[in-house]
Amino acid sequence: MSFLDFVVHKGTLFTNNEIELLDKHFIDISKFTDNNFNFHQKYLEKDVQLLEAIGVNRHEINYRHKHFKHKEVEIVIQCLKYNIKSKNHINELERFYNKEIPEIKSFPGKLLFVDIYGAGFFHLIEYDNNGNINDKNKRIFDKNINDTFISLNL
């Protein structure tokens, strides 16, 4: 990724603070599952990609885990960050994913979509005055992840 990419896609690229939050939840998923899974791979997409069906840019991180005993069983957790610049982007994302999106009160807004085998959710990322994800936002994120894993019954 060049310096120009960072400038052009500012706000879409995952920040270090966001990656730390995702790593905290998705490198070790044993606390969410009844089965034992070993962390296998984290893949951070080098470039921002355009979701052409909507016309909005996104950045992607994937976490892969393999079952401890049955190596052919794998969990892939896809995390997509969207930099939402208009109400039209929200409408298009809702239509595309057929999922409810949290209310964005001011633009641009940062949305995270977490998908674990079709059980996914959107999460509005809110920041404190230092540009880090605020604590209330982290608690909501924790709950969303826990609810998602419970619904999957892994």
Side-chain angles (χ1 to χ4, degrees):
M1 174 181 347
S2 71
F3 176 74
L4 185 59
D5 288 340
F6 179 76
V7 172
V8 171
H9 298 298
K10 185 177 181 185
T12 305
L13 295 170
F14 280 102
T15 65
N16 289 338
N17 185 247
E18 292 162 349
I19 293 170
E20 286 173 16
L21 179 69
L22 295 173
D23 285 354
K24 174 187 165 198
H25 289 86
F26 298 133
I27 287 188
D28 178 13
I29 62 170
S30 60
K31 59 189 168 236
F32 302 115
T33 67
D34 292 333
N35 293 298
N36 291 323
F37 288 90
N38 291 325
F39 176 69
H40 176 63
Q41 177 189 40
K42 172 180 142 183
Y43 176 73
L44 174 62
E45 185 66 46
K46 184 174 81 168
D47 297 318
V48 169
Q49 297 175 336
L50 177 66
L51 181 56
E52 292 185 27
I54 297 172
V56 65
N57 289 325
R58 69 180 185 194
H59 197 210
E60 180 175 357
I61 298 176
N62 290 317
Y63 295 86
R64 296 181 177 276
H65 299 80
K66 291 191 177 196
H67 192 277
F68 183 70
K69 292 182 182 176
H70 309 287
K71 302 290 185 208
E72 69 280 358
V73 176
E74 185 175 61
I75 290 180
V76 178
I77 301 167
Q78 182 182 41
C79 303
L80 302 167
K81 180 181 177 187
Y82 292 96
N83 188 16
I84 305 302
K85 296 181 180 179
S86 70
K87 179 73 174 159
N88 186 52
H89 283 165
I90 295 170
N91 295 336
E92 291 297 320
L93 281 172
E94 283 180 335
R95 182 185 59 74
F96 184 78
Y97 285 106
N98 197 27
K99 298 215 179 269
E100 187 177 328
I101 294 179
E103 180 184 4
I104 299 176
K105 295 179 182 170
S106 65
F107 296 97
K110 311 302 184 243
L111 273 180
L112 178 64
F113 181 65
V114 176
D115 185 31
I116 308 167
Y117 289 121
F121 62 90
F122 278 99
H123 179 78
L124 178 62
I125 306 170
E126 295 179 343
Y127 304 90
D128 63 18
N129 292 336
N130 296 325
N132 296 315
I133 299 171
N134 69 34
D135 289 337
K136 177 184 175 191
N137 204 255
K138 288 178 184 179
R139 288 190 300 275
I140 294 168
F141 187 69
D142 290 346
K143 183 180 180 333
N144 286 338
I145 291 170
N146 195 45
D147 290 350
T148 300
F149 271 102
I150 288 170
S151 73
L152 288 168
N153 197 27
L154 293 173

